[in-house]
Amino acid sequence: MNKCNIGLIGLGVMGRSLVLNMDSKGFSAAVYNRTWEITEKFTAGLAPGKNVKPARSLEELVSILERPRRIMIMIKAGKATDAVIGDLAPLLHAGDVVIDGGNSLFTDSQRRFHELAKQNIHFIGIGVSGGEEGALKGPSLMPGGTEEGWKIIAPIFTRVAAQVGGEPCARYLGPDGAGHYVKMVHNGIEYAEMQLICEAYDVLAQLLGLDADRLAEIFAKWNEGDLESYLIEITAQIFRKRDPESGQPLVDLILDRAKQKGTGMWTLESANRQATVVSTINAAVDSRILSSQKAARTTASKLLPKPESAAFAGDRAGLVAAMHDALYAAKLVTHAQGVDLLRSASTDHGWNLDIAGIATIWRGGCIIRSRLLERIREAFESDPKLDNLLLAPFSRAAIEAGQANWRNVVATAITHGVAIPALSASLAYFDSLRRERLPANLLQAQRDFFGAHKYERVDRDGEFHTDWQDETRSTTLLK
Ligand code: NBP
């Protein structure tokens, strides 16, 4: 019997789609699922000619794979993945490759990488983005782990991935948890971009009273320009969808309570540890949390005072155009913060992440794919040491052209009491970054006042402490 090119464990929606994708590219797959009936049903339902073989046990799966074995685990992240790796590892040989495609925490991937290395088994933690359709037709793949392991699986995964401009949206990113880290930051950016779009919708709907049909037109138009992206495109489609029973726009009937699975929160936790600012992503996570507190909001909506401003009486078309520029500027800030986080983690973990390469594999297949990523790739290819994405010539030109509109949108929304946490956080980041001097001088004085934490001065070297309450005693130079 011919042995299969790859084994896949876990036949949820992602596992099934990836197997079909691999088969369509000419790779044979052996599949195993904890619940046999699911494996049986999946393989029995396949069209004739598909090169997919069912396995009833991990032992059987391992026995029908060519060597070195490539085995992809596509199940619930966390303990379930550890349990499967624990059962699988004793069945493998040195040189085999274990690939975890779940949404695993990067520190779990680091641990698994080192544990499997003791057995000379290659571990690849691969971030998979694009949902069910991406998995089926071509996802963005973010692999990290042993470089040798990647070379063994690359012939399959570079074919399975989305292709943009003849290049696969899959490339080796770095050792141990690098792939899952990049996927985590991808998801953080995804959170921020979704929130920014929701804020644009809210401002246009609340202040201009635009209905779903008009919003669909605006988003579709935006998708033809600099804002072109998967998320803007699907947003236009969402506005067009009608509830079949009532005929109303379906979006208007959806409860305003958002859920999250945790990757946004992981991004914030990591950013905190890295002392990196991801304020737009932070605002997006906060917004989901606040949205989930529906009962508290319902009570507060009846009790808290509203702003006194009258209905919006400004230039309606101007506000729509301004929102375009505000969204683009905030999108730049979101990516600048994401890049910053990737770089600081890369330095700390020794991953040597290539930002232009990451932008390249995010251009297709994934949820944050957008026209902007091509610009980001170009910017970091021409200047790999670029300090901050906002300093790239194209970013500066875009913000120069759009900053009045960005400010106008933020000011208008705030005056009228429409919350725009991500749009305003991104502007605050920009306004802080571009200031040589921030009010942290006063902050240092406060810290020194109550905690003798010392401060530095602008006019001389050293660290100083002042007795702020005693007029007779002056500043002390401490070292
Ligand atoms: P699910 O996350 O819903 O997981 C379903 C699979 O996990 C089934 O095969 C199930 O087996 C298996 N499983 C579970 Br649950 N607990 C297990 C255990 N203790 N031991 C062995 N198998 C176990 O599937 P999915 O939506 O296809 O996602 C798979 C992975 O891909 C997840 O980590 C997910 O976060 C990630 N991901 C998902 C998407 C997406 O859009 N859905 C995108 C990118 C990444 P059973 O059939 O026996 O219950």
Side-chain angles (χ1 to χ4, degrees):
M1 184 180 91
N2 281 344
K3 301 248 172 172
C4 295
N5 301 132
I6 187 162
L8 199 130
I9 299 173
L11 290 174
V13 61
M14 295 297 285
R16 291 196 307 271
S17 303
L18 278 169
V19 167
L20 294 175
N21 184 345
M22 288 168 183
D23 175 78
S24 75
K25 307 284 160 39
F27 300 106
S28 54
V31 294
Y32 167 80
N33 195 69
R34 178 181 59 173
T35 310
W36 162 249
E37 289 69 31
I38 289 179
T39 315
E40 200 177 27
K41 191 170 164 220
F42 173 64
T43 49
L46 291 172
K50 299 265 179 227
N51 211 347
V52 179
K53 293 194 174 70
R56 277 182 181 268
S57 64
L58 288 176
E59 287 80 0
E60 187 185 355
L61 179 86
V62 164
S63 73
I64 57 176
L65 295 179
E66 66 184 22
R67 289 180 63 181
R69 299 182 185 89
R70 308 170 181 101
I71 303 180
M72 182 169 197
I73 301 168
M74 209 56 203
I75 66 168
K76 200 168 149 50
K79 287 198 179 94
T81 301
D82 275 328
V84 167
I85 294 177
D87 291 343
L88 183 64
L91 308 174
L92 300 180
H93 291 96
D96 289 344
V97 189
V98 171
I99 308 143
D100 171 23
N103 256 341
S104 294
L105 183 59
F106 79 99
T107 47
D108 284 344
S109 297
Q110 289 179 310
R111 174 175 50 78
R112 291 166 186 155
F113 171 92
H114 291 296
E115 278 170 8
L116 288 172
K118 290 181 201 150
Q119 257 184 274
N120 289 322
I121 294 171
H122 299 291
F123 175 79
I124 302 285
I126 191 165
V128 179
S129 178
E132 180 182 1
E133 199 189 343
L136 186 63
K137 296 182 180 162
S140 174
L141 297 174
M142 296 155 243
T146 70
E147 197 159 6
E148 208 184 322
W150 170 245
K151 284 186 186 138
I152 295 168
I153 67 166
I156 299 180
F157 284 81
T158 51
R159 291 285 309 286
V160 160
Q163 312 287 318
V164 175
E167 278 181 273
C169 293
R171 63 167 72 179
Y172 178 71
L173 297 173
D176 58 76
H180 275 130
Y181 194 86
V182 171
K183 172 66 177 9
M184 179 194 79
V185 175
H186 164 285
N187 283 24
I189 293 174
E190 177 185 308
Y191 268 60
E193 294 218 89
M194 291 169 75
Q195 175 63 23
L196 288 166
I197 289 173
C198 290
E199 291 175 16
Y201 151 62
D202 204 22
V203 170
L204 299 183
Q206 297 300 314
L207 298 191
L208 303 183
L210 301 185
D211 63 14
D213 288 339
R214 179 71 190 111
L215 288 163
E217 284 169 25
I218 291 169
F219 276 81
K221 182 92 192 118
W222 284 349
N223 199 43
E224 291 167 9
D226 284 338
L227 285 177
E228 182 192 338
S229 65
Y230 172 72
L231 284 170
I232 293 280
E233 182 191 334
I234 66 162
T235 302
Q237 285 179 29
I238 287 168
F239 285 129
R240 283 199 197 98
K241 190 80 176 173
R242 299 270 161 181
D243 171 43
E245 281 167 37
S246 65
Q248 287 183 62
L250 185 54
V251 70
D252 293 344
L253 302 175
I254 295 178
L255 187 66
D256 55 332
R257 201 160 58 189
K259 296 192 174 163
Q260 51 184 327
K261 280 192 175 170
T263 40
M265 204 75 87
W266 290 351
T267 311
L268 299 190
E269 284 166 8
S270 172
N272 265 340
R273 266 194 304 276
Q274 299 295 141
T276 302
V277 177
V278 289
S279 50
T280 315
I281 300 171
N282 208 331
V285 174
D286 283 353
S287 299
R288 288 199 192 192
I289 294 169
L290 208 47
S291 85
S292 71
Q293 296 166 3
K294 178 78 176 172
R297 287 189 289 114
T298 303
T299 305
S301 71
K302 298 184 182 101
L303 298 175
L304 294 180
K306 295 181 172 52
E308 282 177 5
S309 67
F312 179 75
D315 172 2
R316 295 172 63 86
L319 188 62
V320 176
M323 184 57 84
H324 170 278
D325 291 358
L327 267 184
Y328 190 65
K331 185 176 169 72
L332 276 168
V333 167
T334 301
H335 284 77
Q337 294 180 348
V339 167
D340 232 18
L341 181 56
L342 287 172
R343 277 179 152 174
S344 102
S346 176
T347 305
D348 281 13
H349 294 282
W351 288 330
N352 201 18
L353 292 178
D354 166 24
I355 301 302
I358 292 169
T360 302
I361 63 171
W362 283 352
R363 288 178 312 160
C366 65
I367 304 297
I368 64 166
R369 63 184 183 261
S370 72
R371 188 182 288 195
L372 174 63
L373 283 159
E374 181 59 34
R375 308 300 305 268
I376 296 176
R377 161 200 163 98
E378 288 162 7
F380 283 97
E381 253 172 15
S382 67
D383 183 3
K385 293 207 161 64
L386 185 66
D387 258 355
N388 186 302
L389 174 64
L390 298 183
L391 300 180
F394 92 90
S395 308
R396 282 186 280 144
I399 293 176
E400 176 95 52
Q403 89 159 288
N405 276 338
W406 191 9
R407 293 183 191 286
N408 181 12
V409 162
V410 171
T412 304
I414 287 175
T415 306
H416 289 82
V418 180
I420 43 158
L423 279 168
S424 54
S426 59
L427 182 56
Y429 173 84
F430 170 75
D431 276 336
S432 298
L433 188 69
R434 65 173 188 78
R435 287 271 304 281
E436 190 186 344
R437 188 163 166 83
L438 287 171
N441 50 333
L442 175 59
L443 199 134
Q444 283 297 83
Q446 291 165 336
R447 294 180 71 237
D448 190 57
F449 188 113
F450 62 71
H453 291 300
K454 299 176 277 185
Y455 57 90
E456 294 166 295
R457 296 177 58 117
V458 294
D459 56 350
R460 50 190 112 129
D461 290 338
E463 285 190 319
F464 299 84
H465 169 62
T466 295
D467 187 336
W468 296 88
Q469 285 168 298
D470 185 346
E471 305 256 326
T472 62
R473 291 172 63 189
S474 60
T475 296
T476 319
L477 171 62
L478 296 173
K479 61 175 179 178

